Short mmCIF file of all heavy atoms in Angstrom, two decimals:
data_model
loop_
_atom_site.label_atom_id
_atom_site.label_comp_id
_atom_site.label_asym_id
_atom_site.label_seq_id
_atom_site.Cartn_x
_atom_site.Cartn_y
_atom_site.Cartn_z
N VAL A 30 0.82 -7.05 -6.90
CA VAL A 30 0.05 -7.21 -8.15
C VAL A 30 -0.65 -8.57 -8.12
O VAL A 30 -0.06 -9.56 -7.68
CB VAL A 30 0.99 -7.14 -9.38
CG1 VAL A 30 0.19 -7.10 -10.68
CG2 VAL A 30 1.97 -5.98 -9.28
N LEU A 31 -1.90 -8.61 -8.57
CA LEU A 31 -2.61 -9.88 -8.73
C LEU A 31 -3.45 -9.80 -9.99
O LEU A 31 -3.85 -8.71 -10.43
CB LEU A 31 -3.55 -10.13 -7.54
CG LEU A 31 -2.98 -10.80 -6.29
CD1 LEU A 31 -4.07 -10.93 -5.23
CD2 LEU A 31 -2.39 -12.18 -6.60
N THR A 32 -3.76 -10.96 -10.54
CA THR A 32 -4.69 -10.97 -11.67
C THR A 32 -6.13 -10.97 -11.15
O THR A 32 -6.40 -11.40 -10.03
CB THR A 32 -4.51 -12.22 -12.57
OG1 THR A 32 -4.92 -13.38 -11.84
CG2 THR A 32 -3.07 -12.38 -13.03
N ALA A 33 -7.05 -10.47 -11.99
CA ALA A 33 -8.49 -10.61 -11.73
C ALA A 33 -9.18 -10.58 -13.08
O ALA A 33 -8.62 -10.05 -14.07
CB ALA A 33 -9.02 -9.50 -10.84
N TYR A 34 -10.38 -11.15 -13.11
CA TYR A 34 -11.08 -11.29 -14.40
C TYR A 34 -12.53 -10.83 -14.32
O TYR A 34 -13.26 -10.94 -15.31
CB TYR A 34 -11.00 -12.76 -14.85
CG TYR A 34 -9.61 -13.36 -14.67
CD1 TYR A 34 -9.33 -14.22 -13.61
CD2 TYR A 34 -8.58 -13.02 -15.54
CE1 TYR A 34 -8.06 -14.75 -13.42
CE2 TYR A 34 -7.30 -13.54 -15.36
CZ TYR A 34 -7.04 -14.40 -14.29
OH TYR A 34 -5.78 -14.90 -14.11
N LEU A 51 -3.98 -7.04 -12.82
CA LEU A 51 -3.67 -7.47 -14.18
C LEU A 51 -4.81 -8.34 -14.69
O LEU A 51 -5.11 -9.38 -14.11
CB LEU A 51 -2.36 -8.28 -14.19
CG LEU A 51 -2.06 -9.04 -15.49
CD1 LEU A 51 -1.86 -8.09 -16.67
CD2 LEU A 51 -0.83 -9.94 -15.32
N VAL A 52 -5.45 -7.88 -15.77
CA VAL A 52 -6.39 -8.74 -16.47
C VAL A 52 -5.52 -9.55 -17.43
O VAL A 52 -5.18 -9.09 -18.52
CB VAL A 52 -7.47 -7.94 -17.21
CG1 VAL A 52 -8.48 -8.90 -17.86
CG2 VAL A 52 -8.18 -6.98 -16.26
N GLY A 53 -5.08 -10.71 -16.94
CA GLY A 53 -4.12 -11.52 -17.71
C GLY A 53 -4.82 -12.40 -18.71
O GLY A 53 -5.97 -12.82 -18.50
N ASP A 54 -4.10 -12.72 -19.80
CA ASP A 54 -4.68 -13.67 -20.74
C ASP A 54 -4.63 -15.09 -20.16
O ASP A 54 -5.12 -16.04 -20.78
CB ASP A 54 -4.04 -13.58 -22.13
CG ASP A 54 -2.56 -13.86 -22.14
OD1 ASP A 54 -1.99 -14.11 -21.06
OD2 ASP A 54 -1.95 -13.82 -23.22
N SER A 55 -4.09 -15.21 -18.94
CA SER A 55 -4.22 -16.46 -18.18
C SER A 55 -5.69 -16.81 -18.00
O SER A 55 -6.02 -17.95 -17.67
CB SER A 55 -3.54 -16.34 -16.80
OG SER A 55 -3.97 -15.18 -16.13
N LEU A 56 -6.58 -15.86 -18.23
CA LEU A 56 -8.02 -16.13 -18.14
C LEU A 56 -8.40 -17.26 -19.11
O LEU A 56 -9.36 -18.00 -18.88
CB LEU A 56 -8.86 -14.87 -18.37
CG LEU A 56 -8.89 -14.23 -19.78
CD1 LEU A 56 -9.95 -14.86 -20.67
CD2 LEU A 56 -9.14 -12.74 -19.65
N GLY A 57 -7.63 -17.38 -20.19
CA GLY A 57 -7.90 -18.46 -21.15
C GLY A 57 -7.79 -19.82 -20.48
O GLY A 57 -8.54 -20.74 -20.81
N VAL A 59 -7.48 -20.33 -16.74
CA VAL A 59 -8.16 -20.51 -15.44
C VAL A 59 -9.67 -20.22 -15.49
O VAL A 59 -10.41 -20.72 -14.66
CB VAL A 59 -7.49 -19.67 -14.32
CG1 VAL A 59 -6.05 -20.11 -14.10
CG2 VAL A 59 -7.55 -18.18 -14.57
N THR A 66 -2.70 -19.97 -23.38
CA THR A 66 -3.30 -18.64 -23.54
C THR A 66 -3.48 -18.27 -25.02
O THR A 66 -4.08 -17.24 -25.32
CB THR A 66 -2.42 -17.57 -22.86
OG1 THR A 66 -1.12 -17.58 -23.47
CG2 THR A 66 -2.28 -17.82 -21.37
N MET A 74 -10.50 -10.19 -24.07
CA MET A 74 -9.75 -9.27 -23.19
C MET A 74 -10.54 -7.99 -22.92
O MET A 74 -10.56 -7.49 -21.80
CB MET A 74 -8.37 -8.93 -23.81
CG MET A 74 -7.42 -10.11 -23.95
SD MET A 74 -7.24 -11.14 -22.48
CE MET A 74 -6.61 -9.98 -21.27
N MET A 91 -4.00 -2.99 -15.50
CA MET A 91 -3.12 -3.42 -16.59
C MET A 91 -3.80 -4.59 -17.32
O MET A 91 -4.35 -5.47 -16.66
CB MET A 91 -1.79 -3.90 -15.99
CG MET A 91 -0.77 -4.37 -16.99
SD MET A 91 0.65 -5.20 -16.20
CE MET A 91 1.47 -3.87 -15.39
N ASP A 93 -3.61 -7.52 -20.60
CA ASP A 93 -2.78 -8.20 -21.60
C ASP A 93 -3.29 -7.97 -23.02
O ASP A 93 -4.49 -8.10 -23.29
CB ASP A 93 -2.81 -9.72 -21.35
CG ASP A 93 -1.65 -10.19 -20.49
OD1 ASP A 93 -0.61 -9.51 -20.44
OD2 ASP A 93 -1.79 -11.27 -19.87
N LYS A 122 -0.06 -4.79 -21.57
CA LYS A 122 1.13 -5.64 -21.41
C LYS A 122 1.33 -6.46 -22.68
O LYS A 122 0.37 -7.05 -23.20
CB LYS A 122 0.97 -6.55 -20.20
CG LYS A 122 2.16 -7.50 -20.00
CD LYS A 122 2.24 -8.05 -18.59
CE LYS A 122 1.34 -9.21 -18.29
NZ LYS A 122 1.58 -10.41 -19.12
N GLU A 124 3.98 -9.40 -24.56
CA GLU A 124 5.04 -10.38 -24.38
C GLU A 124 6.02 -10.27 -25.54
O GLU A 124 5.60 -10.19 -26.70
CB GLU A 124 4.47 -11.80 -24.35
CG GLU A 124 3.60 -12.07 -23.16
CD GLU A 124 3.09 -13.51 -23.13
OE1 GLU A 124 3.58 -14.37 -23.89
OE2 GLU A 124 2.18 -13.77 -22.32
N HIS A 146 6.64 -7.76 -21.08
CA HIS A 146 6.75 -9.05 -20.37
C HIS A 146 7.87 -9.84 -21.04
O HIS A 146 7.77 -10.19 -22.22
CB HIS A 146 5.38 -9.74 -20.51
CG HIS A 146 5.26 -11.08 -19.87
ND1 HIS A 146 4.06 -11.55 -19.39
CD2 HIS A 146 6.15 -12.08 -19.63
CE1 HIS A 146 4.22 -12.77 -18.88
NE2 HIS A 146 5.47 -13.11 -19.03
N LEU A 149 10.07 -16.02 -19.64
CA LEU A 149 9.14 -17.03 -20.15
C LEU A 149 7.91 -16.32 -20.71
O LEU A 149 7.26 -15.54 -20.02
CB LEU A 149 8.73 -17.98 -19.01
CG LEU A 149 7.63 -18.98 -19.38
CD1 LEU A 149 8.05 -19.88 -20.53
CD2 LEU A 149 7.24 -19.82 -18.19
N PRO A 151 4.37 -17.06 -22.13
CA PRO A 151 3.38 -18.14 -22.31
C PRO A 151 2.74 -18.14 -23.70
O PRO A 151 2.36 -19.21 -24.19
CB PRO A 151 2.35 -17.85 -21.21
CG PRO A 151 3.14 -17.11 -20.16
CD PRO A 151 4.12 -16.27 -20.92
N GLN A 152 2.64 -16.97 -24.36
CA GLN A 152 2.04 -16.96 -25.71
C GLN A 152 2.94 -17.69 -26.72
O GLN A 152 2.49 -18.03 -27.81
CB GLN A 152 1.79 -15.52 -26.17
CG GLN A 152 0.69 -14.82 -25.38
CD GLN A 152 0.52 -13.35 -25.75
OE1 GLN A 152 1.09 -12.86 -26.72
NE2 GLN A 152 -0.28 -12.65 -24.96
N LEU A 189 8.05 -6.71 -16.78
CA LEU A 189 7.69 -7.91 -16.02
C LEU A 189 8.57 -9.06 -16.50
O LEU A 189 8.77 -9.21 -17.70
CB LEU A 189 6.20 -8.23 -16.25
CG LEU A 189 5.59 -9.40 -15.47
CD1 LEU A 189 4.10 -9.15 -15.20
CD2 LEU A 189 5.75 -10.73 -16.20
N VAL A 190 9.10 -9.82 -15.56
CA VAL A 190 9.90 -10.99 -15.93
C VAL A 190 9.27 -12.24 -15.31
O VAL A 190 8.86 -12.23 -14.16
CB VAL A 190 11.38 -10.88 -15.48
CG1 VAL A 190 12.16 -9.98 -16.42
CG2 VAL A 190 11.52 -10.41 -14.04
N GLU A 191 9.21 -13.30 -16.12
CA GLU A 191 8.60 -14.55 -15.66
C GLU A 191 9.62 -15.68 -15.74
O GLU A 191 10.29 -15.84 -16.78
CB GLU A 191 7.37 -14.88 -16.53
CG GLU A 191 6.72 -16.20 -16.14
CD GLU A 191 5.30 -16.37 -16.69
OE1 GLU A 191 4.76 -15.43 -17.31
OE2 GLU A 191 4.74 -17.46 -16.50
N ILE A 210 8.32 -6.06 -12.27
CA ILE A 210 7.42 -7.03 -11.65
C ILE A 210 7.99 -8.42 -11.90
O ILE A 210 8.42 -8.72 -13.01
CB ILE A 210 6.00 -6.97 -12.27
CG1 ILE A 210 5.43 -5.54 -12.20
CG2 ILE A 210 5.06 -7.95 -11.58
CD1 ILE A 210 4.09 -5.37 -12.94
N GLY A 211 7.97 -9.27 -10.87
CA GLY A 211 8.47 -10.63 -11.05
C GLY A 211 7.42 -11.68 -10.77
O GLY A 211 6.54 -11.48 -9.93
N ILE A 212 7.51 -12.80 -11.48
CA ILE A 212 6.73 -13.99 -11.17
C ILE A 212 7.68 -15.17 -11.40
O ILE A 212 8.22 -15.34 -12.50
CB ILE A 212 5.42 -14.09 -12.00
CG1 ILE A 212 4.68 -15.41 -11.68
CG2 ILE A 212 5.64 -13.93 -13.50
CD1 ILE A 212 3.22 -15.44 -12.15
N VAL A 222 3.79 -10.59 -8.81
CA VAL A 222 2.45 -10.91 -9.32
C VAL A 222 2.22 -12.41 -9.23
O VAL A 222 3.17 -13.19 -9.37
CB VAL A 222 2.27 -10.42 -10.79
CG1 VAL A 222 3.24 -11.11 -11.75
CG2 VAL A 222 0.83 -10.63 -11.26
N LEU A 223 0.98 -12.79 -8.96
CA LEU A 223 0.56 -14.19 -9.07
C LEU A 223 -0.78 -14.23 -9.77
O LEU A 223 -1.53 -13.23 -9.78
CB LEU A 223 0.41 -14.83 -7.68
CG LEU A 223 1.69 -15.18 -6.91
CD1 LEU A 223 1.34 -15.77 -5.54
CD2 LEU A 223 2.60 -16.14 -7.68
N VAL A 224 -1.07 -15.39 -10.34
CA VAL A 224 -2.40 -15.63 -10.89
C VAL A 224 -3.33 -15.88 -9.70
O VAL A 224 -3.04 -16.71 -8.83
CB VAL A 224 -2.39 -16.83 -11.86
CG1 VAL A 224 -3.79 -17.26 -12.23
CG2 VAL A 224 -1.58 -16.49 -13.12
N LEU A 225 -4.44 -15.12 -9.63
CA LEU A 225 -5.34 -15.15 -8.48
C LEU A 225 -5.77 -16.57 -8.10
O LEU A 225 -5.73 -16.95 -6.93
CB LEU A 225 -6.57 -14.29 -8.80
CG LEU A 225 -7.64 -14.19 -7.73
CD1 LEU A 225 -7.13 -13.49 -6.48
CD2 LEU A 225 -8.87 -13.45 -8.27
N ASP A 227 -4.30 -19.38 -8.67
CA ASP A 227 -3.17 -20.15 -8.11
C ASP A 227 -3.01 -19.82 -6.63
O ASP A 227 -2.81 -20.71 -5.81
CB ASP A 227 -1.85 -19.80 -8.82
CG ASP A 227 -1.75 -20.36 -10.22
OD1 ASP A 227 -2.58 -21.22 -10.59
OD2 ASP A 227 -0.85 -19.91 -10.96
N PHE A 239 6.51 -21.59 -8.08
CA PHE A 239 6.72 -20.21 -7.61
C PHE A 239 5.50 -19.61 -6.91
O PHE A 239 5.56 -18.51 -6.40
CB PHE A 239 7.16 -19.31 -8.77
CG PHE A 239 6.23 -19.33 -9.97
CD1 PHE A 239 4.99 -18.71 -9.92
CD2 PHE A 239 6.60 -19.96 -11.14
CE1 PHE A 239 4.14 -18.73 -11.00
CE2 PHE A 239 5.77 -19.99 -12.24
CZ PHE A 239 4.52 -19.37 -12.17
O1 LIG B 1 -1.65 -13.72 -18.06
C1 LIG B 1 -1.18 -13.58 -16.92
O2 LIG B 1 -1.84 -13.79 -15.90
C2 LIG B 1 0.21 -13.14 -16.81
C3 LIG B 1 0.90 -13.36 -15.49
C4 LIG B 1 1.27 -14.77 -15.35
C5 LIG B 1 2.05 -12.46 -15.32
O3 LIG B 1 0.78 -12.70 -17.76
#
Side-chain angles (χ1 to χ4, degrees):
V30 188
L31 275 178
T32 68
Y34 316 103
L51 168 64
V52 183
D54 60 359
S55 51
L56 69 86
V59 298
T66 60
M74 296 312 299
M91 180 191 290
D93 266 337
K122 178 161 81 61
E124 293 182 13
H146 180 151
L149 173 60
Q152 291 175 10
L189 184 150
V190 282
E191 178 164 354
I210 305 174
I212 177 164
V222 62
L223 286 179
V224 169
L225 180 65
D227 287 348
F239 54 73

